[in-house]
Amino acid sequence: MSEVVQFLLSGIAAGGIYALIAVGFVTVYNVLGIINFAQGEFAMFGALVAASLVARGVPLVAAIPLAIAVTAATGALTERAILRPAAGSSDVVRIIITIGVSIGLRGLALTVWSSKSYALPQFSGGEPVRILGAALALQNFWVLGVAAAIMIALYLLFERTYFGSALRACVMSPNASRLMGISPSVMSLFAYTMSAALGAMAGIVVTPISLATYDMGIMLGLKGFVAAVLGGLVSAPGAVVGGLLLGIIESFAAGFLSSGYRDAIAFALLLAVLGIRPTGLFARMAEQRRV
Amino acid sequence: MRPSTASRELLILVPVALALAALGVLGNTYMISMLVIAGIHVIVTAGLTLLLGFAGQISLAQAAFYALGAYGSMIGTVHLGLNPWLALVLTALGSGIVAYAIGVPTLRLHGHYLALATLGFGIIVNIVLVQETNITGGPTGAVGIPRLTLGVELTSDRQYFALVWFVTLALLLVCRVLVTGSSYGRVLRALQASEVATESIGIDVARYKVQVFVLCAVLASLGGSLYAHYLTVISPSEFGFDVSMEFLVMAVIGGLGSVWGALAGVLAVTAFLEILRTVAPMIAPNIPTSEYEVVAFGGLLVLTLLFFPDGFMGRWRRFAGALRLGAMGR
Amino acid sequence: MKKRKIVGCARMLLALGLMLVAGPAPVNAQAKEYRIGAVMELSGPFSSWGAPMRDAIQLAVDNINAAGGIKGVPLKLVVYDGRSKGTEAVLLAKRLVTQDKVVAIIGPGTSPTTMPVIPYVTEAGVPTLSMGSSDRIIEPANERRWLFRPPYGSRHNVEKLIEHFKATGIKKVGFLSVNNAYGDTGREEFEKAARPAGIEVVAWEKFGGTDNDVKPQLTKLRALAPQAIIVWSIPPAASIVQKNRAELAIDIPMYHDNGASLTPQFIELAAGAAEGAYGVVIKVDVLDELPANDPQKATLLKFRQQFESRFGMDVGGLYGEAYDCVLLIAKGLESAGDNKEKLRDAIERVKGFVGMAGIYTMSPTEHNGLSARDLVIGRVKNGKWTIVK
Amino acid sequence: MSASAVQPEPVLKVEGVSKRFGGVQAVSEVCFSFGAGQICGLIGPNGAGKTTLFNLVSGVYVPDAGVIRILGARTDGVPAHRIARLGVARTFQNPQLFDALTVRENVMVGLAQAAPPTLASSLLAFSRRRRREEEDRVAADRHLARVGLTTASDRMAKDLSFGEQRLLEVARALATRPRLLLLDEPASGLSQGEVAQLVALLRDLRADNLSIFLIEHDVSTVMNVADHVVVLNYGRKIAEGAPQGVRNDPAVIEAYLGSAGGAAPRVSTERAPTGRQMLSAEKLVSFRGELQVLREVSFDVIEGEVAGIVGPNGAGKSTLLGTVAGLYPLQAGHVRLGDKSTEGQPAERVVQLGISLVPERRGIFTGLSVRENLALGAYARYRGSQRQQIDADIENVFALFPRLRELASARAGSLSGGEQQMLAIGRGLMARPRLLMLDEPSLGIAPRLVAEIFRVLNTLKEGGTSILIVEQNARSVFEIANRVSVLVRGRIVMTGTPAELADDARVVEAYLGGRRPSSGSGMQAPPMPIEPAAPPSVQ
């Protein structure tokens, strides 16, 4: 019994992390129309910056926003210096440019932080929550809380603010929104910067659980991407549901079938979804952009 | 007048072959092996060049098909005791069938579904290689793969160099003639220019895309087989997701559509890393520079794509085209 | 147009060719230095140990040179990043031998990256000191004349653990290993040794090297009520297991192989959760508790002082193991000079040599040289390893 | 349709076909058919649903209802490449050639349909392959000769002129040995001479018993070449028959030029324009792709006036507005708003300078609510904490279009075409522009709503807003504009007051063709006079 509960709790915890990354993929995909393979690297970057700051004695509450800001600035720079000049290139080339960005960021991190692991303290001290012999560290609640908070914030931003409606307008019809005075270039900068910041938040909030290394972005990025695809790639709520679902399925499959094949499960799920419902489990067809 | 296709390709092939032959004679073991690996990478990358160039599709599983080739040859020769050449052919066929099974459902849809499917497939293949220790040797890898024989066993690097580059250039030539000199290639080039128009002519576009994907996988498999017989030791970490990315990078840097782009891309990346290794210690002898390689690699990729979005060969084609127009007085 | 394309291709090849032929600055064979090559996993999935190994061997080379080199001839170290790839490792081994003219190679640092290198270094006749954990690197001995594997391997760890289990009456254990070559090697060795020793393994569980939650596996193991859980991995994964154990409040003792204790990261990253963990450790980690008559104590104290003053961080067993590779080569060079065949023979003849990791005694059938006797079962108390008596 | 004794099975038969996109019914219950060896032309004003119907026939879309039969086989829902296999070939409005192939190779790809080459056969069987190549080469040259491109056969397709590219597409289509040829706006972008060449070619093909179905906005060309004409408006068939009859059908003329006796009010003279220039455009030159669309267009808008630009579809009207608004690059010429130059500014900047464009096909944000759409109209002047002002402006728009108030929280995509147009205009006003530009506000909208929209425009004009309106529906513009220019083939051919132009036969000619020297004898019907405008129905 305690096993099943633990599988569920661990699955939800992992799913929260995937969801956070997935939301970043969705944001960039919606506005720039490309899959940003550097998404996981932003998580890594944020986590390492935060860990370094804390190691240098900066209090956690200051280190976190600082690290998010540094990562967001890196994202903004990337968008302006690399993606914007390539705006006229084909999707394929732009996607591969994001692969280049991810390799470059990883290399930069390796140079600065070496291959060592870095830790962050839990955001709040205290005993883990134990239910029926299963346990969930408090930090996992932070992960879920941050995921939920980001979801709500994104919902409010997109659905309830003027700027958010401009961003959505730009996704729906870039040319018509230009006629309103909305600059697609500014929106693209905003979206990329925001997704870098989202990535950084994800990286920072998981570091107390998973520790931070220069190559943590690879798996994080891939799993987050799968979660985003499960959710249809265009919808942030879909991404969150996709992330949670992925985490739970992975956890149960690893527990009951084979722990060695744990990572394969996410991708098998991806193949299954592509076979059955290529537009994702939760996507509304009408909102589908090009995949 | 336009010379016949084959002879035009020979005009590229012969100097390349001569230059390689010169290197084969002059180079030391290190250079020879590096070029053997490069040759194998050219074969694998050429498949991607065709897939990206003509079908407009991304495969993130090129390393997985490369792995299928290598492990197929290993299983065929080590476990089943087959002749290496027979194993190589059977493996290539098998890889083609796997690619067909992936391609048919995904390439009928519009969009980059192949990229998603191959992402999943590539990672699953790697995990299976790690897990199925009894068959694959697990994470430490499989050893004792026999060398290839051509009458005699090819034991020296130089022999292998000759074999690999013969195969590589022959495959490139076949691909090139296929693309530029046949009705089949004409359909592919039509597909590249306008999918909708090709379809309007009554050509089943998806079928051709699937075939290109199968060809792409078969080339990767052939490369993998050659690799396994060359190193005689294989392990899953040689075929990870990052390796698929590297092949993709080399294809794009070289330029898509023309298999010569694969040659340009692989040689450019190989040369770049080599220069880095040679030059970096001269500039900063006391700093351990090896970590910068990764940064430099990412930087090279980004810069190349920013300045040559069509890759080196694309850039070259345009440059040459401009010269030609100039010469014609236009 | 075609002609220009050809010229372009030819030019590219020519440039590559020139570069290759020119190579690095030509090596003067008469130069008064011994060149040692190293292929380390500085990037890629195995990179967490690459940089520490490189730092340690660089320290060893610098120390030897500071002390006047080998009979006045300085050592020169050439390090390359094997990018955690076997292919790259083979190419770099060839580069080290043919262009850098090294007398011996240290590395590669893992079993999967070492295996592909074996045929070449055997054919070329270069003494190679791999840092991988699997004994497949040095067995069968007659085919592996040129390969040495100085660090402790899975075999030693298993031996030490089983000895300890016998002494403490532990007969039922659970086994949790990281899902890569390192974990698999440990699992293989333990499987071989457990049954003869009368130890029952209730479950073999695995977890991914980048997983951040091992609680499902731990819950499963706990339900089977073993007397001990063996964890076969390296940090940061080992630290995460330890943290998860604390979260679940599991009171079954947890034993780590010496991979966990090889760098100070294990305790540091577990942030308190490592408290009470058992592990196979190398003496340098429990230096202060060693009796004064321990043969290694004096050398280790000096080593620790040098290391900590140079890198400003705590030393760990891994650094000692890597450091020893240089010492073994240096010892060989003293008697053999730069003749590779003689160097190999000299390393094979090393007997009772006190290194940082342990005492080495090589022979034609023993290319590791260490023994489980020099290992210690340790336990984390107050953030430090202590000896379990 | 001319009576013939034996009516063979129709080549193309469209039965009750409908297609809907969101809130817009693009095609509804269209039925028509035509027989072998005929040329059938599909015409209709912009937005009538021609392209949708064409795409339904060629297999790009699947109809919501109805049946399409080609050569007796049902083809609705069949993939495009299978339709092609039935003996149907098509061309594209923007030629879709295989750029990297030579002209001859383009045709050879078309020949591949008979037996699509396989990978295996191309790698093996060298001699057979070579023989077939030779046969294909000869066949390709035959098709090229037919369209008159023999001398170009070794050139690269992308190096051909626009007209030659059109012909090459036809040659490529012929290579598939079709029984039905579908032509998508074959005359667009061609010079007069090229059109004549094309018409001759089509007649020649008809003589070989090839059936041709074409859509075309150049009505005179259709009238000139077709045996059978189908006219669409608002997605419905409004006329069908021989060109002669269709041309004189009042419903057709009304569809093109607008309703003469509509409910739109007359020009109000109460408030005269100030005489100051609001917008001046000098010698604008603009390209879309390789095609020159604007050929030195000059015009101006006086402050407080409604200026109209009318002209047939394809004349360059939308490009003209898009260029002024900064959506399309301006290759040459000058644009000034008041005393400020706007040339070279991107669209998002131009709107800040005071020019608001209500784009063709409305460009509303379908996923946003009506209110959100309107609010975004003020984005260019939004400077934080002005929500109340924006809300007040939205109220003003609601006052103009009461219908929108009821729909305020509806998703814009669910609105009907006319409601979307109101929304688009309202959104354009939200920018408080100095100049409001409207691109075909009547496009695809029912007459009742068109009248409503023009009533609002008149109100705006009386409020002093300067308006530039571009319309195919000339008569509705005549109702409200102070001055109207006629744009044909990228040039302004005449400018005058509505009264002057209303009586000018050249306007009808510009739309429906007429005294063209090359036309056959049956084509010389006298130009249709525009009926005198009805008295104003003042609000």
Side-chain angles (χ1 to χ4, degrees):
Chain A
M1 181 62 205
S2 70
E3 287 167 52
V4 177
V5 177
Q6 186 60 54
F7 294 160
L8 184 65
L9 292 183
S10 289
I12 292 172
I17 299 170
Y18 302 154
L20 275 172
I21 303 285
V23 170
F25 272 108
V26 168
T27 308
V28 171
Y29 185 74
N30 270 335
V31 180
L32 280 79
I34 55 168
I35 294 156
N36 176 28
F37 275 105
Q39 191 62 36
E41 268 58 45
F42 287 127
M44 171 273 288
F45 202 75
L48 286 175
V49 171
S52 296
L53 289 172
V54 169
R56 271 170 189 67
V58 180
L60 195 62
V61 283
I64 291 171
L66 212 56
I68 293 171
V70 169
T71 313
T74 310
L77 191 70
T78 307
E79 202 276 346
R80 278 297 107 154
I82 297 171
L83 288 171
R84 181 99 321 241
S89 299
S90 70
D91 284 359
V92 169
V93 166
R94 291 196 302 151
I95 289 171
I96 295 189
I97 284 180
T98 68
I99 295 177
V101 169
S102 79
I103 296 174
L105 277 176
R106 207 148 59 224
L108 190 70
L110 180 62
T111 314
V112 175
W113 286 285
S114 86
S115 53
K116 275 202 296 192
S117 302
Y118 294 81
L120 273 179
Q122 293 213 23
F123 290 2
S124 51
E127 279 294 290
V129 174
R130 296 197 176 86
I131 312 159
L132 298 170
L136 201 57
L138 286 181
Q139 188 63 26
N140 286 316
F141 290 95
W142 275 99
V143 171
L144 293 171
V146 168
I150 286 177
M151 271 312 304
I152 292 167
L154 283 180
Y155 173 81
L156 292 178
L157 171 70
F158 280 110
E159 304 287 333
R160 289 281 177 270
T161 69
Y162 190 53
F163 184 76
S165 66
L167 200 57
R168 284 162 69 212
C170 191
V171 173
M172 289 169 211
S173 172
N175 261 346
S177 48
R178 288 180 66 195
L179 292 174
M180 307 299 112
I182 301 166
S183 160
S185 154
V186 170
M187 291 298 166
S188 149
L189 175 65
F190 173 79
Y192 202 80
T193 308
M194 187 174 83
S195 77
L198 288 176
M201 284 180 217
I204 293 167
V205 78
V206 304
T207 296
I209 302 169
S210 70
L211 307 173
T213 53
Y214 85 99
D215 60 356
M216 71 190 280
I218 302 175
M219 231 354 162
L220 221 46
L222 286 177
K223 294 278 182 72
F225 177 62
V226 172
V229 173
L230 292 183
L233 207 48
V234 289
S235 131
V240 171
V241 178
L244 289 174
L245 196 71
L246 176 61
I248 292 168
I249 291 177
E250 235 184 40
S251 176
F252 273 92
F256 287 120
L257 301 175
S258 152
S259 46
Y261 275 106
R262 183 175 189 272
D263 285 338
I265 288 151
F267 301 99
L269 199 62
L270 174 74
L271 287 185
V273 167
L274 284 177
I276 300 159
R277 209 187 140 128
T279 48
L281 292 176
F282 317 104
R284 269 181 295 168
M285 292 294 281
E287 281 183 358
Q288 187 72 12
R289 232 189 123 122
R290 52 215 147 117
V291 174
Chain B
M1 256 338 279
R2 296 152 61 87
S4 84
T5 319
S7 66
R8 261 189 297 144
E9 300 307 329
L10 285 176
L11 283 177
I12 300 185
L13 196 66
V14 170
V16 170
L18 286 177
L20 283 166
L23 284 173
V25 175
L26 294 174
N28 62 26
T29 311
Y30 167 59
M31 298 163 201
I32 300 285
S33 334
M34 192 171 65
L35 286 171
V36 170
I37 298 293
I40 292 169
H41 284 178
V42 170
I43 298 176
V44 182
T45 308
L48 278 180
T49 306
L50 295 174
L51 182 72
L52 275 108
F54 292 112
Q57 291 284 332
I58 298 178
S59 167
L60 296 172
Q62 196 66 350
F65 287 109
Y66 187 43
L68 288 188
Y71 277 86
S73 277
M74 185 275 287
I75 292 166
T77 53
V78 177
H79 292 333
L80 306 177
L82 298 178
N83 174 295
W85 293 106
L86 179 64
L88 177 143
V89 171
L90 289 178
T91 302
L93 282 176
S95 305
I97 292 168
V98 172
Y100 183 80
I102 296 172
V104 165
T106 47
L107 289 170
R108 298 233 160 247
L109 303 165
H110 288 277
H112 287 299
Y113 289 104
L114 185 72
L116 303 184
T118 50
L119 168 73
F121 175 72
I123 290 172
I124 290 173
V125 165
N126 205 262
I127 291 172
V128 171
L129 296 183
V130 170
Q131 291 306 312
E132 298 306 315
T133 311
N134 292 336
I135 302 167
T136 62
T140 318
V143 295
I145 303 166
R147 292 274 188 160
L148 284 173
T149 50
L150 274 175
V152 292
E153 198 181 8
L154 302 177
T155 45
S156 84
D157 283 344
R158 260 174 240 279
Q159 287 167 330
Y160 222 88
F161 173 83
L163 171 75
V164 163
W165 277 97
F166 175 77
V167 172
T168 304
L169 293 180
L171 284 174
L172 289 191
L173 190 65
V174 168
C175 288
R176 203 48 200 162
V177 170
L178 180 72
V179 166
T180 56
S182 74
S183 52
Y184 186 83
R186 214 158 37 228
V187 173
L188 291 186
R189 284 181 291 149
L191 187 62
Q192 177 184 31
S194 170
E195 210 172 292
V196 57
T198 312
E199 198 156 23
S200 83
I201 286 171
I203 288 169
D204 185 354
V205 164
R207 220 184 99 196
Y208 282 85
K209 286 187 183 173
V210 170
Q211 289 176 356
V212 173
F213 180 53
V214 168
L215 185 64
C216 165
V218 166
L219 285 172
S221 171
L222 290 177
S225 294
L226 288 176
Y227 172 84
H229 289 299
Y230 177 58
L231 278 203
T232 73
V233 177
I234 51 177
S235 71
S237 56
E238 309 300 307
F239 308 101
F241 180 66
D242 52 333
V243 180
S244 284
M245 293 290 200
E246 279 173 25
F247 285 130
L248 208 52
V249 165
M250 291 194 280
V252 174
I253 284 183
L256 304 176
S258 161
V259 283
W260 297 121
L263 187 68
V266 171
L267 291 185
V269 168
T270 307
F272 177 74
L273 286 178
E274 188 55 29
I275 290 169
L276 210 64
R277 257 185 215 131
T278 309
V279 172
M282 294 179 189
I283 298 169
N286 295 320
I287 301 170
T289 48
S290 12
E291 281 105 328
Y292 297 106
E293 278 179 22
V294 188
V295 193
F297 188 65
L300 168 80
L301 171 60
V302 168
L303 289 178
T304 308
L305 291 183
L306 280 183
F307 293 106
F308 314 112
D310 300 334
F312 289 146
M313 284 310 271
R315 185 64 172 190
W316 178 251
R317 266 192 298 259
R318 243 182 303 152
F319 177 58
L323 284 179
R324 186 175 53 124
L325 288 182
M328 284 164 64
R330 282 177 57 171
Chain C
M1 168 193 171
K2 293 292 166 189
K3 257 187 204 147
R4 304 202 177 276
K5 199 192 261 180
I6 297 154
V7 174
C9 270
R11 207 174 282 162
M12 195 183 295
L13 272 171
L14 189 66
L16 180 70
L18 278 178
M19 192 188 67
L20 288 178
V21 175
V27 177
N28 185 351
Q30 308 307 314
K32 288 233 184 313
E33 62 179 17
Y34 294 125
R35 289 174 158 245
I36 298 174
V39 179
M40 300 276 120
E41 285 70 31
L42 298 174
S43 61
F46 305 137
S47 60
S48 58
W49 277 3
M53 287 181 190
R54 179 195 58 200
D55 292 347
I57 58 177
Q58 187 69 54
L59 175 67
V61 167
D62 292 349
N63 282 349
I64 289 170
N65 286 344
I70 311 291
K71 295 181 180 162
V73 182
L75 296 179
K76 166 97 171 104
L77 185 65
V78 184
V79 186
Y80 290 128
D81 175 13
R83 293 170 52 215
S84 303
K85 297 265 185 302
T87 320
E88 203 68 19
V90 176
L91 291 179
L92 293 170
K94 290 182 177 179
R95 191 179 214 270
L96 286 170
V97 173
T98 57
Q99 291 190 181
D100 298 314
K101 313 281 185 207
V102 300
V103 293
I105 295 172
I106 301 174
T110 74
S111 308
T113 50
T114 303
M115 297 311 285
V117 175
I118 294 173
Y120 171 69
V121 295
T122 305
E123 182 198 318
V126 189
T128 301
L129 283 69
S130 165
M131 301 268 304
S133 63
S134 170
D135 279 342
R136 284 168 73 184
I137 294 166
I138 46 171
E139 281 165 8
N142 57 340
E143 287 174 23
R144 302 283 198 260
R145 284 189 67 228
W146 293 92
L147 282 126
F148 297 89
R149 198 189 62 72
Y152 289 103
S154 314
R155 173 168 49 111
H156 304 106
N157 281 282
V158 168
E159 205 180 316
K160 192 78 198 172
L161 281 172
I162 286 185
E163 175 196 310
H164 177 78
F165 290 159
K166 276 182 176 163
T168 50
I170 293 176
K171 290 198 149 45
K172 201 173 149 194
V173 300
F175 197 92
L176 180 62
S177 60
V178 65
N179 193 9
N180 62 21
Y182 186 84
D184 267 27
T185 309
R187 181 175 156 150
E188 262 169 47
E189 290 288 342
F190 197 83
E191 212 167 354
K192 265 192 275 175
R195 189 181 293 271
I199 291 172
E200 183 203 351
V201 180
V202 294
W204 302 93
E205 287 290 330
K206 283 185 178 182
F207 65 99
T210 56
D211 284 1
N212 49 44
D213 188 354
V214 197
K215 289 198 284 284
Q217 288 93 327
L218 288 177
T219 324
K220 263 171 98 174
L221 285 174
R222 178 177 61 186
L224 298 167
Q227 290 166 283
I229 295 172
I230 300 167
V231 180
W232 212 281
S233 71
I234 62 172
S239 314
I240 289 176
V241 176
Q242 207 58 42
K243 285 168 90 168
N244 285 178
R245 173 179 181 266
E247 282 165 30
L248 287 168
I250 292 177
D251 46 14
I252 303 166
M254 199 170 257
Y255 285 82
H256 293 263
D257 78 298
N258 82 329
S261 59
L262 282 179
T263 65
Q265 287 237 294
F266 171 66
I267 296 174
E268 185 189 314
L269 293 173
E275 212 53 28
Y278 292 90
V280 179
V281 300
I282 294 175
K283 284 178 181 168
V284 72
D285 288 316
V286 288
L287 191 48
D288 298 328
E289 279 188 81
L290 283 184
N293 64 356
D294 189 285
Q296 281 181 266
K297 184 147 188 174
T299 18
L300 285 179
L301 280 171
K302 187 163 165 236
F303 171 61
R304 183 169 73 178
Q305 183 273 322
Q306 281 172 334
F307 183 91
E308 288 174 359
S309 69
R310 165 118 172 217
F311 295 108
M313 55 183 276
D314 289 343
V315 74
L318 181 65
Y319 300 98
E321 289 181 334
Y323 196 94
D324 284 353
C325 289
V326 179
L327 293 187
L328 285 169
I329 294 171
K331 185 135 181 66
L333 286 171
E334 275 172 23
S335 61
D338 60 0
N339 180 313
K340 290 180 199 137
E341 183 75 41
K342 283 188 189 158
L343 177 60
R344 190 208 78 87
D345 294 346
I347 297 173
E348 199 172 67
R349 279 196 304 270
V350 165
K351 292 231 165 11
F353 172 68
V354 179
M356 304 304 147
I359 298 164
Y360 293 85
T361 300
M362 299 281 185
S363 80
T365 53
E366 175 56 60
H367 275 200
N368 168 255
L370 290 169
S371 112
R373 280 192 315 275
D374 296 329
L375 287 171
V376 178
I377 295 287
R379 190 171 188 196
V380 180
K381 270 195 194 131
N382 302 321
K384 282 182 76 75
W385 287 103
T386 58
I387 298 175
V388 176
K389 297 283 164 19
Chain D
M1 190 186 281
S2 56
S4 51
V6 185
Q7 192 66 288
E9 190 184 4
V11 173
L12 172 65
K13 191 168 183 196
V14 173
E15 298 171 78
V17 165
S18 300
K19 180 74 185 174
R20 189 179 183 86
F21 297 107
V24 179
Q25 185 75 42
V27 169
S28 63
E29 295 172 15
V30 171
C31 298
F32 70 92
S33 68
F34 71 99
Q38 283 196 317
I39 297 178
C40 173
L42 176 66
I43 61 171
N46 206 350
K50 297 190 297 292
T51 302
T52 305
L53 185 55
F54 189 86
N55 283 333
L56 287 166
V57 170
S58 59
V60 177
Y61 298 147
V62 180
D64 298 333
V67 174
I68 300 169
R69 285 177 201 281
I70 296 178
L71 300 161
R74 202 169 155 171
T75 62
D76 44 288
V78 173
H81 69 93
R82 292 247 206 91
I83 293 180
R85 290 285 179 87
L86 291 170
V88 181
R90 69 167 289 185
T91 66
F92 296 85
Q93 185 178 353
N94 295 310
Q96 297 267 325
L97 289 172
F98 309 134
D99 285 346
L101 272 59
T102 65
V103 168
R104 184 186 289 116
E105 284 178 316
N106 264 274
V107 180
M108 287 169 83
V109 176
L111 289 166
Q113 190 204 91
T118 62
L119 187 55
S121 75
S122 293
L123 288 174
L124 309 169
F126 280 100
S127 65
R128 209 176 64 206
R129 205 185 77 203
R130 191 159 294 172
R131 202 167 56 238
R132 195 178 147 194
E133 282 285 294
E134 212 36 62
E135 288 166 12
D136 279 4
R137 188 175 280 269
V138 172
D141 284 347
R142 207 173 57 235
H143 291 298
L144 286 171
R146 181 115 200 223
V147 302
L149 283 177
T150 303
T151 52
S153 55
D154 283 320
R155 285 164 64 192
M156 300 306 281
K158 64 169 182 287
D159 296 336
L160 294 184
S161 75
F162 197 78
E164 288 170 327
Q165 293 191 8
R166 271 274 148 66
L167 294 172
L168 176 54
E169 266 205 319
V170 174
R172 185 179 67 189
L174 292 177
T176 67
R177 307 168 134 261
R179 290 169 66 193
L180 171 62
L181 188 58
L182 307 177
L183 304 175
D184 189 351
E185 309 233 346
S188 82
L190 299 192
S191 69
Q192 304 267 2
E194 287 168 334
V195 171
Q197 198 184 350
L198 180 78
V199 166
L201 173 62
L202 296 185
R203 287 191 175 135
D204 185 35
L205 294 173
R206 176 177 54 186
D208 284 356
N209 209 32
L210 181 66
S211 314
I212 298 171
F213 177 60
L214 59 93
I215 62 169
E216 182 51 70
H217 60 248
D218 183 357
V219 178
S220 59
T221 303
V222 177
M223 297 299 184
N224 199 355
V225 74
D227 305 298
H228 188 76
V229 177
V230 176
V231 189
L232 287 189
N233 200 15
Y234 309 123
R236 292 178 181 279
K237 185 178 79 179
I238 57 166
E240 179 178 8
Q244 191 71 30
V246 166
R247 199 180 177 301
N248 293 323
D249 190 329
V252 175
I253 293 169
E254 188 178 315
Y256 270 87
L257 285 108
S259 149
R266 282 295 291 174
V267 175
S268 156
T269 49
E270 284 156 32
R271 189 190 162 105
T274 60
R276 280 204 304 269
Q277 245 184 6
M278 172 59 71
L279 181 80
S280 81
E282 276 174 55
K283 297 192 170 176
L284 304 187
V285 174
S286 184
F287 283 73
R288 299 294 293 277
E290 287 175 25
L291 187 63
Q292 183 172 5
V293 179
L294 300 184
R295 301 159 195 263
E296 305 205 334
V297 175
S298 300
F299 67 94
D300 61 356
V301 180
I302 309 295
E303 190 174 334
E305 82 165 346
V306 173
I309 294 177
V310 301
N313 203 346
K317 302 188 300 294
S318 294
T319 304
L320 179 60
L321 290 196
T323 305
V324 170
L327 281 180
Y328 310 131
L330 179 66
Q331 263 83 14
H334 303 284
V335 187
R336 303 180 75 77
L337 179 74
D339 48 6
K340 268 187 253 152
S341 168
T342 68
E343 66 206 52
Q345 302 275 14
E348 52 267 35
R349 183 81 192 106
V350 170
V351 61
Q352 288 179 351
L353 295 173
I355 299 181
S356 188
L357 169 63
V358 179
E360 189 187 14
R361 286 164 209 280
R362 309 177 282 268
I364 59 155
F365 306 121
T366 50
L368 301 183
S369 72
V370 167
R371 182 178 279 279
E372 283 172 319
N373 265 278
L374 289 175
L376 282 179
Y379 189 88
R381 60 183 176 85
Y382 182 67
R383 296 284 173 274
S385 72
Q386 296 174 332
R387 273 323 288 236
Q388 282 168 340
Q389 207 183 37
I390 289 175
D391 287 343
D393 282 2
I394 290 176
E395 280 308 310
N396 290 339
V397 171
F398 285 162
L400 282 174
F401 297 107
R403 179 94 188 98
L404 292 182
R405 190 195 306 275
E406 298 162 31
L407 296 165
S409 51
R411 227 168 54 88
S414 66
L415 268 56
S416 75
E419 289 160 349
Q420 288 189 5
Q421 187 64 58
M422 293 178 188
L423 175 59
I425 293 171
R427 192 182 60 180
L429 289 169
M430 289 294 295
R432 295 192 178 174
R434 296 170 65 195
L435 174 68
L436 181 67
M437 302 198 296
L438 300 148
D439 193 348
E440 305 231 17
S442 75
L443 190 143
I445 297 169
R448 184 179 50 79
L449 290 172
V450 173
E452 163 88 3
I453 286 165
F454 276 85
R455 177 188 58 74
V456 171
L457 293 181
N458 210 39
T459 314
L460 290 174
K461 176 187 172 185
E462 287 178 16
T465 311
S466 310
I467 296 175
L468 173 61
I469 182 168
V470 144
E471 260 294 354
Q472 182 177 340
N473 191 331
R475 282 176 181 160
S476 57
V477 174
F478 291 164
E479 300 289 325
I480 60 162
N482 299 81
R483 287 185 305 151
V484 178
S485 304
V486 181
L487 187 70
V488 179
R489 290 179 184 275
R491 289 199 177 86
I492 288 191
V493 295
M494 56 188 134
T495 301
T497 64
E500 288 162 11
L501 292 180
D503 298 330
D504 197 324
R506 288 178 299 169
V507 176
V508 181
E509 207 178 296
Y511 278 79
L512 297 179
R515 293 165 303 198
R516 207 177 264 165
S518 63
S519 305
S521 59
M523 296 295 134
Q524 291 211 332
M528 177 65 44
I530 296 174
E531 291 161 42
S537 59
V538 182
Q539 289 294 113

